Amino acid sequence: MPDKFGVLNAVSILLQYSLVVFIYIFLWNTLKIIHADLRADSKADQPCAALKVFERGSVMLAKSFWRIEDTLTIGRGEENHIVINQSVVSHEHACIARQNNKYWLADLNSTNGTLLNNQPVNEEILLQNGDIIRIGTVSFKFER
């Protein structure tokens, strides 16, 4: 039969190791939370861009404001981020893409073209704050 001191010693050692394991688990979870917060803060610091409806004509749109994360597509097709249901708008009309924290507008070979500040977009073009993009009868203001 084990003596009392042997049992107490074994329980004491078990509790000590349990405490050490608990401390490591606590520190690990704390570091994971800090890391997740830092990642969220760094994403929030990245500049964000948006399109706001400047003029819609008689077209009904789902929203009047769209944030641009990496890409934003515009066209008549339902799979686009911005759907403009007009016959003068192509199925896949235009796209805005972020590259190195700069935003580029491209016309996707649409039938009736895309205008940027009343000038036709013939190739990918860098967007600036306040630029006006016109597709069909809808105009958007690019904000950064």
Side-chain angles (χ1 to χ4, degrees):
M1 172 168 193
D3 61 347
K4 269 187 180 175
F5 293 112
V7 172
L8 287 176
N9 192 24
V11 170
S12 173
I13 291 172
L14 181 64
L15 289 174
Q16 288 174 4
Y17 281 113
S18 297
L19 180 62
V20 169
V21 168
F22 175 75
I23 289 171
Y24 278 114
I25 291 171
F26 175 79
L27 288 174
W28 175 255
N29 286 329
T30 303
L31 289 174
K32 281 183 12 182
I33 291 169
I34 290 170
H35 179 66
D37 283 347
L38 290 175
R39 286 188 58 199
D41 286 345
S42 69
K43 286 184 179 180
D45 290 341
Q46 289 180 351
C48 183
L51 275 187
K52 283 187 175 178
V53 174
F54 186 70
E55 183 180 319
R56 76 176 72 227
S58 61
V59 176
M60 294 301 297
L61 298 171
K63 303 188 296 187
S64 59
F65 177 86
W66 291 268
R67 289 187 69 176
I68 307 170
E69 299 295 332
D70 291 322
T71 60
L72 182 109
T73 57
I74 306 167
R76 195 173 64 233
E78 293 294 324
E79 69 279 355
N80 292 293
H81 296 101
I82 302 175
V83 177
I84 303 173
N85 195 8
Q86 283 188 309
S87 60
V88 295
V89 176
S90 295
H91 189 74
E92 294 175 343
H93 197 99
C95 178
I96 298 174
R98 182 175 75 180
Q99 195 172 40
N100 298 328
N101 285 327
K102 295 180 180 179
Y103 292 86
W104 298 83
L105 171 66
D107 182 83
L108 302 176
N109 296 320
S110 64
T111 304
N112 294 307
T114 302
L115 298 178
L116 177 65
N117 300 322
N118 291 321
Q119 299 297 316
V121 175
N122 298 320
E123 59 187 29
E124 207 172 34
I125 188 164
L126 180 64
L127 291 171
Q128 303 294 326
N129 187 38
D131 279 347
I132 304 295
I133 301 165
R134 186 170 187 87
I135 297 174
T137 62
V138 181
S139 295
F140 302 95
K141 186 175 186 180
F142 177 77
E143 293 182 350
R144 178 114 201 227

